[in-house]
Amino acid sequence: IFCPCLMQPLDCDVKVEYWHSERKTSRFSKQALELSKDNYNQLVLLIPPKTRKPYQYKLQGNIQEIIAPRVAEGKLTLRLALPEVYVYCDNANPDVLQEWVKILVQIKNNPDFDLEDYAEEQQRL
């Protein structure tokens, strides 16, 4: 269940690869990343494909690494633990991506991070 008031979807080119896979995906596809909550009230990353239900990756306690030296160019890589995947993002709006990185860092560093509280705090500023 995605609440658009909490976080702007990130329109970008997306590629997902398993860490140890022999088969590598060679192309990006134009998609939108979304932050949502699952049935257990945990933050998840949704990657909605055009033809079937979205891929869903748990974020809280699952982000191994945020690789973001080229955010100004619209590039980001997330390394997740379970499943062992890299999520590559390219051609994103750098301003929107910078906000995403701030939130992803909060999620990685704080297992009790609450997106609703963060959104309310940002509105007060």
Side-chain angles (χ1 to χ4, degrees):
I1 303 165
F2 176 68
C3 178
C5 61
L6 296 180
M7 188 67 205
Q8 180 176 353
L10 182 63
D11 292 319
C12 60
D13 297 334
V14 178
K15 178 168 67 168
V16 177
E17 288 184 349
Y18 286 88
W19 295 1
H20 307 293
S21 176
E22 294 291 323
R23 199 180 104 205
K24 299 291 183 188
T25 309
S26 59
R27 316 181 297 182
F28 283 86
S29 62
K30 191 67 164 168
Q31 303 196 22
L33 300 179
E34 299 176 0
L35 285 180
S36 184
K37 287 195 172 187
D38 65 10
N39 295 338
Y40 304 101
N41 210 29
Q42 292 286 311
L43 284 172
V44 294
L45 176 69
L46 295 179
I47 305 174
K50 297 178 182 4
T51 58
R52 54 186 187 269
K53 76 178 202 174
Y55 296 102
Q56 179 175 303
Y57 299 102
K58 179 183 169 212
L59 291 177
Q60 288 173 301
N62 198 34
I63 299 174
Q64 290 281 314
E65 189 175 7
I66 300 167
I67 306 165
R70 296 171 49 191
V71 170
E73 298 172 27
K75 297 178 184 293
L76 170 71
T77 301
L78 285 179
R79 181 178 177 193
L80 303 178
L82 293 172
E84 296 178 335
V85 296
Y86 288 102
V87 178
Y88 300 98
C89 171
D90 196 9
N91 295 322
N93 176 316
D95 295 330
V96 177
L97 184 57
Q98 184 63 46
E99 288 302 310
W100 270 70
V101 169
K102 286 181 192 174
I103 289 172
L104 291 169
V105 167
Q106 291 289 327
I107 294 168
K108 182 178 186 291
N109 295 336
N110 180 0
D112 298 323
F113 177 77
D114 187 284
L115 190 55
E116 288 96 343
D117 291 345
Y118 178 85
E120 288 174 14
E121 184 178 308
Q122 292 303 305
Q123 287 179 348
R124 284 190 292 249
L125 297 178

